[in-house]
Amino acid sequence: MTDLKLTPEETALLEGAEGPGVQRAMEIVVTLGRIYGAPDLVPVRHVQIAGVSYKNLGDAGVAFLNEWAEEGARVRVPATLNPAGMELERWQEMGFSPDFAKPQMEAIKAFVKMGVTPTMSCTPYLFPDYAPQRGEHLAWAESSAVAWANSVVGAFTNREGGPSALAAAIVGRTARYGYHLPENRRATHVVEISCPVRSIADFGALSYMVGKRVGDGVPWFADLAAWLPPLPEDITLGGDAGDRLKTLGAGLAAYGAVALYHVAGYTPEARAQGEALIRADARRIVIDSLAEGYGVMDANPEVTAIDLVTLGCPHASISELRRIAARLKGEKLATRLWITTSQITRARAAEEGLVAIIEAAGGEVVADTCAVVAPVRSLGVRTMATNAGKMANYAPMHSGVKMRYGDMEQCLDAAISGRWKNS
Ligand code: F3S
């Protein structure tokens, strides 16, 4: 424990000047600061709260949120929510039971009462109103979004827990430790890649191999820029580069505990500081084939009949929806297809006519949730296919499904034919 310095205003909040709800939040932030040796607290511009699904919260979690809201806790900076366990508007139509929907809605009501905006998405960085800027301090709890904010944007955030992110939103601050400090942002591993990394699925396989080796370190990708087109000027579109980096960060965080990576000559801190950003004791990792990653993620090669094909983990960008609609135009699907995204991106896709094309083929553009946080087994799903590295890991673990893994085209072919074709 170290001496954490608080301003008079922060001390007052800790002593209960604004009621028990704010006091409880300040206690959480201060306790974490003391545990991690933070010198002080830092104001945050935006908070992303995870752990929203009733599947994760359970009744105890819902009761805790209600109690906090009843105590008068209100957020003082913009705060948004991760996906819930179901689509909020269409849960009945999609087959979710009222036993799940009722407590799920109750949890969301408690968040809303505290002033949180129910965006229900893991990609706040794709929203024009919330996209972070370089150098901003944030308190984000969604691990895939943390990797994006730190790495692609050069913002500063630790990987918060659900309650600590909400606490940071209520007091508008977080403890200054970890990735809020420049000295902790230097690379611990240098990754050299000598094989092609072409598709989103390739980036997912790479994320497994690097995440496993790096753990909670900071990888420096020495030559990955060769496989990345430039990011679009409007980064909220995703684009080919954004869609690959979205998957890379999600998989690094899921298979390791990576919150920050650098791509030489590409990501902002790597461009600004060059190899000075690599620690002298950094370890070298060489990747010359992605076969190991595919072997683990495409975990059930015996499965060919697919119950649910799911794309959009992290939530699909508009550029992914454009690619999917282009492939599905005029097709009829033989199996269920979910493209999971946010309400905001779905509305954007609907305006472009993409949702109509996908629905005409029999696919569903599902907002607010994903196949990990939704109780998909209760919808009868036993086998799934995806192009997303994180989904390939989490869905079998959280929902006990069998998984096939491949690139988007292979997944869409499986949705059209109902069967996975081994390549
Ligand atoms: Fe998002 Fe669900 Fe994937 S929360 S990162 S779509 S597992």
Side-chain angles (χ1 to χ4, degrees):
M1 298 256 180
T2 57
D3 191 17
L4 176 81
K5 287 198 180 52
L6 297 179
T7 64
E9 188 199 346
E10 289 162 354
T11 304
L13 299 184
L14 188 62
E15 288 171 353
E18 290 194 17
V22 180
Q23 184 176 27
R24 186 202 289 242
M26 199 51 147
E27 281 166 1
I28 293 173
V29 171
V30 165
T31 302
L32 283 171
R34 292 198 171 122
I35 290 171
Y36 288 103
D40 59 1
L41 306 186
V42 58
V44 292
R45 193 197 56 87
H46 178 244
V47 172
Q48 170 73 6
I49 297 163
V52 177
S53 170
Y54 175 60
K55 191 174 158 188
N56 306 119
L57 283 169
D59 291 329
V62 178
F64 174 76
L65 289 172
N66 274 327
E67 199 183 300
W68 217 350
E70 284 306 314
E71 286 175 348
R74 300 292 180 268
V75 301
R76 63 184 75 205
V77 293
T80 49
L81 282 185
N82 237 30
M86 61 188 197
E87 184 166 321
L88 303 194
E89 298 281 318
R90 299 189 309 154
W91 59 268
Q92 266 166 317
E93 196 184 307
M94 293 178 69
F96 292 96
S97 93
D99 293 346
F100 184 87
K102 197 172 158 285
Q104 179 64 86
M105 292 310 286
E106 206 187 311
I108 291 163
K109 249 171 84 183
F111 281 120
V112 170
K113 188 169 178 182
M114 289 187 263
V116 181
T117 309
T119 46
M120 321 312 307
S121 175
C122 48
T123 54
Y125 49 86
L126 295 181
F127 302 161
D129 288 348
Y130 301 111
Q133 303 295 318
R134 185 161 180 208
E136 281 180 348
H137 291 270
L138 313 165
W140 282 14
E142 165 53 40
S143 65
S144 61
V146 166
W148 177 285
N150 279 323
S151 317
V152 180
V153 177
F156 301 128
T157 177
N158 287 322
R159 184 168 160 165
E160 300 280 350
S164 77
L166 182 53
I170 292 166
V171 299
R173 298 153 168 84
T174 191
R176 195 194 302 268
Y177 68 95
Y179 295 106
H180 292 282
L181 300 171
E183 62 264 31
N184 295 327
R185 299 176 66 88
R186 298 182 67 206
T188 58
H189 295 73
V190 173
V191 183
E192 294 169 10
I193 302 167
S194 59
C195 56
V197 194
R198 293 197 178 93
S199 62
I200 291 175
D202 281 356
F203 273 74
L206 176 69
S207 74
Y208 168 81
M209 296 176 66
V210 176
K212 279 283 172 216
R213 288 163 173 81
V214 165
D216 62 357
V218 178
W220 169 277
F221 290 98
D223 31 32
L224 193 59
W227 300 103
L228 286 165
L231 279 163
E233 203 163 305
D234 177 1
I235 207 169
T236 65
L237 295 171
D240 283 348
D243 295 340
R244 291 171 204 189
L245 292 173
K246 186 158 75 73
T247 283
L248 177 69
L252 288 170
Y255 290 108
V258 173
L260 165 67
Y261 63 86
H262 303 291
V263 179
Y266 194 89
T267 51
E269 282 160 284
R271 276 207 317 270
Q273 298 176 51
E275 293 189 356
L277 204 48
I278 303 173
R279 277 171 37 168
D281 61 351
R283 292 171 58 186
R284 183 168 168 256
I285 295 170
V286 177
I287 306 283
D288 54 16
S289 157
L290 300 177
E292 180 196 343
Y294 273 94
V296 170
M297 299 165 100
D298 190 25
N300 302 104
E302 73 286 0
V303 169
T304 52
I306 305 295
D307 295 332
L308 176 69
V309 176
T310 177
L311 305 171
C313 168
H315 272 175
S317 67
I318 192 75
S319 59
E320 286 174 297
L321 281 153
R322 285 176 188 154
R323 277 179 65 191
I324 294 164
R327 174 68 184 90
L328 295 187
K329 197 164 190 172
E331 297 285 359
K332 280 283 169 232
L333 303 186
T335 195
R336 199 164 184 184
L337 168 69
W338 279 14
I339 300 134
T340 50
T341 189
S342 61
Q343 292 283 1
I344 294 172
T345 303
R346 186 166 75 179
R348 211 163 163 179
E351 266 174 37
E352 291 187 21
L354 308 175
V355 176
I357 293 171
I358 293 165
E359 286 179 352
E364 297 168 71
V365 182
V366 177
D368 305 327
T369 190
C370 77
V372 167
V373 294
V376 289
R377 273 187 83 84
S378 72
L379 303 180
V381 174
R382 297 291 178 272
T383 57
M384 277 174 47
T386 188
N387 71 336
K390 179 174 175 180
M391 180 69 64
N393 176 25
Y394 277 39
M397 212 159 70
H398 288 245
S399 302
V401 294
K402 292 192 167 176
M403 182 63 79
R404 295 306 313 257
Y405 180 77
D407 63 26
M408 183 186 281
E409 288 65 30
Q410 229 173 335
C411 289
L412 291 173
D413 286 349
I416 292 166
S417 68
R419 299 195 80 74
W420 188 265
K421 284 195 198 76
N422 287 311
S423 49

